[in-house]
Amino acid sequence: MVSDTQHTVFAQIREEEIAQILTDLVRIPTVNPPGDVREAVRYCADILHHAGFSLHIVAHDEAKPNLVARYRWGKGPTLLFNAHLDVVPIGEEASWTHPPFGADYVDGRIYGRGANDDKASVAAQLVAALALVRSQVPLAGELVVTTVADEEIGGQDGTAFLIEQATLQPDFVIVGEPTDNRVCIGERGGTGIIITTYGRTAHGALPWEGVNAIEGMAFVIMALRERLWPVLAQRRAPYFTAPSSATISIIHGGVKTNVVPDQCSITIDRRLIPGETPQEAIAEVRAIAEEAVAAMPGIRVSVAPAYEWLGREATLQPLDSPLVQTMLEVNRQLGLESTPTGFNMATDGRFFAARGFPTIIYGPGDPATAHKPDEWVALADVVMAAKAYALATLRLLHPCEG
């Protein structure tokens, strides 16, 4: 049942405004790399400024500004919205049937790169914030809207930098990502792993004079496929639809067609479920790789993290968290799926969770359409997300509501 207060707020959530904001944002290319979001941030800042939010821009890279917009009603908790403006490259444009930055509206769907990931969440959060302010409902606390850069390549110039520089101490965090408007109470972690095999170079016409590092790597790859991949597929965690996983995403080896390669390397994208650590994942790969080449004369192998940082563990909010329970109740009231789940990809939520801030992931759009040609989102789902964000705010910043 919708209360009078909720009805007042919902009346300010207008489909045409959401469509306009989302369309405008999709038509601003924010491909990362290079990740220039300045025009998109100015657009969002202008909307929130006219609504009465106080604004602050935080940037490590001038082309990647992060917007912090605050609206305080009085003493009370702080709820933070977070969503990102940068998008992945379009790939081969011939694969698209709709212009990647055209924001075509067809049969209730808006098409374009970023329409789903993540500008639908940005638009829904903006309109929810506007509706709460315009409706003049009495709340207790502060709403902080953070619209950020750089999420698609790791977030170091985006949310990670923002948390370091801005005085953010939220009591609750809702990270907007395409979750089909389901309540994601955690996300898988991940680490990158580089395996390098070393052999001995020689002339290609005399291969027996050398030791072929690529052939050595072939044994490593087969050992991983036979001994590790099936094990990972059986590892599962409550709430997560995807198991632990790994895939070989990059390979380098050789210098010339007539030279026996003395080095070959692969990079593994390893995704972690709760209970796994980056250190354990790397050690597991190392043991298999070393055993795979142990019987190959002249081949040695090294296994190391792919980045300076080891990686991140999966995050998981307690089911009895007030934030989780509030969002589940919101979905029940709106007739949406109210079974908690986990998010299979990485989000900026991990930065907030690492600081101990209660964090969930929630937003419109099917995650399966993200990063693909003809990416799309249903406008009705974006409207519903805006209502969910607004209703969650009423409950979290006004304990007497609902």
Side-chain angles (χ1 to χ4, degrees):
M1 181 176 179
V2 177
S3 70
D4 290 343
T5 298
Q6 293 163 7
H7 181 77
T8 300
V9 174
F10 285 0
Q12 297 295 326
I13 296 175
R14 295 184 285 268
E15 180 179 288
E16 61 272 18
E17 183 173 34
I18 291 176
Q20 186 64 63
I21 291 173
L22 180 53
T23 296
D24 289 345
L25 287 174
V26 171
R27 288 174 179 167
I28 302 173
T30 51
V31 173
N32 196 5
D36 189 334
V37 299
R38 284 175 288 190
E39 183 180 352
V41 164
R42 284 194 294 269
Y43 179 89
C44 296
D46 186 60
I47 290 173
L48 293 171
H49 172 71
H50 282 95
F53 281 74
S54 62
L55 307 182
H56 181 47
I57 300 293
V58 178
H60 179 247
D61 179 333
E62 66 176 15
K64 298 179 178 181
N66 302 285
L67 173 64
V68 182
R70 300 174 182 269
Y71 195 96
R72 177 169 287 281
W73 286 272
K75 186 177 181 181
T78 295
L79 168 62
L80 185 144
F81 291 165
N82 174 273
H84 67 91
L85 288 163
D86 62 317
V87 303
V88 298
I90 65 170
E92 177 55 54
E93 190 165 359
S95 299
W96 292 71
T97 57
H98 297 274
F101 301 108
D104 285 354
Y105 181 66
V106 181
D107 296 331
R109 297 176 175 181
I110 294 178
Y111 288 84
R113 177 57 82 226
N116 172 299
D117 184 13
D118 189 35
K119 291 175 179 178
S121 289
V122 173
Q125 290 183 353
L126 289 178
V127 171
L130 295 176
L132 290 160
V133 173
R134 289 169 178 168
S135 61
Q136 298 183 333
V137 295
L139 294 175
E142 182 181 42
L143 177 63
V144 180
V145 181
T146 59
T147 309
V148 302
D150 207 45
E151 190 273 347
E152 293 292 2
I153 62 169
Q156 295 306 308
D157 287 331
T159 295
F161 182 75
L162 181 67
I163 293 176
E164 289 289 343
Q165 298 299 313
T167 55
L168 299 177
Q169 291 293 324
D171 297 283
F172 313 106
V173 178
I174 301 177
V175 174
E177 289 281 357
T179 72
D180 264 337
N181 287 338
R182 293 195 62 182
V183 183
C184 292
I185 63 175
E187 64 181 77
R188 288 199 297 171
T191 186
I193 306 171
I194 291 181
I195 303 177
T196 304
T197 50
Y198 302 90
R200 185 175 66 251
T201 191
H203 196 291
L206 305 170
W208 51 84
E209 297 290 339
V211 180
N212 194 310
I214 292 177
E215 294 178 2
M217 183 61 75
F219 280 82
V220 173
I221 292 173
M222 290 307 300
L224 291 170
R225 285 178 55 84
E226 293 171 2
R227 296 178 49 197
L228 183 57
W229 284 195
V231 171
L232 298 182
Q234 297 302 312
R235 291 183 190 166
R236 293 186 173 271
Y239 308 113
F240 286 84
T241 59
S244 182
S245 67
T247 188
I248 298 167
S249 51
I250 301 173
I251 186 166
H252 295 292
V255 295
K256 202 169 182 287
T257 57
N258 61 350
V259 176
V260 174
D262 64 347
Q263 189 168 314
C264 181
S265 67
I266 61 172
T267 301
I268 297 174
D269 179 349
R270 177 74 166 83
R271 299 301 171 112
L272 311 174
I273 59 173
E276 296 182 310
T277 69
Q279 294 90 337
E280 291 168 348
I282 294 169
E284 192 171 38
V285 168
R286 179 180 292 114
I288 292 173
E290 289 177 347
E291 185 173 338
V293 303
M296 301 182 68
I299 292 286
R300 63 185 180 88
V301 65
S302 69
V303 178
Y307 312 106
E308 291 183 5
W309 51 288
L310 280 179
R312 61 191 181 279
E313 295 185 24
T315 67
L316 190 65
Q317 285 294 307
L319 192 57
D320 61 358
S321 156
L323 174 61
V324 171
Q325 287 300 310
T326 294
M327 207 71 216
L328 291 174
E329 180 55 35
V330 164
N331 268 23
R332 281 190 286 269
Q333 180 173 341
L334 293 176
L336 300 173
E337 174 60 55
S338 58
T339 303
T341 188
F343 199 63
N344 293 325
M345 284 75 86
T347 80
D348 281 344
R350 67 189 186 275
F351 299 117
F352 295 105
R355 296 297 185 95
F357 303 133
T359 302
I360 61 168
I361 306 152
Y362 186 101
D366 181 351
T369 73
H371 297 195
K372 293 181 179 179
D374 286 336
E375 177 182 343
W376 61 271
V377 67
L379 182 58
D381 291 345
V382 189
V383 174
M384 188 62 76
K387 290 181 178 180
Y389 291 140
L391 184 51
T393 306
L394 288 175
R395 292 178 178 275
L396 291 167
L397 300 190
H398 191 352
C400 293
E401 177 61 39

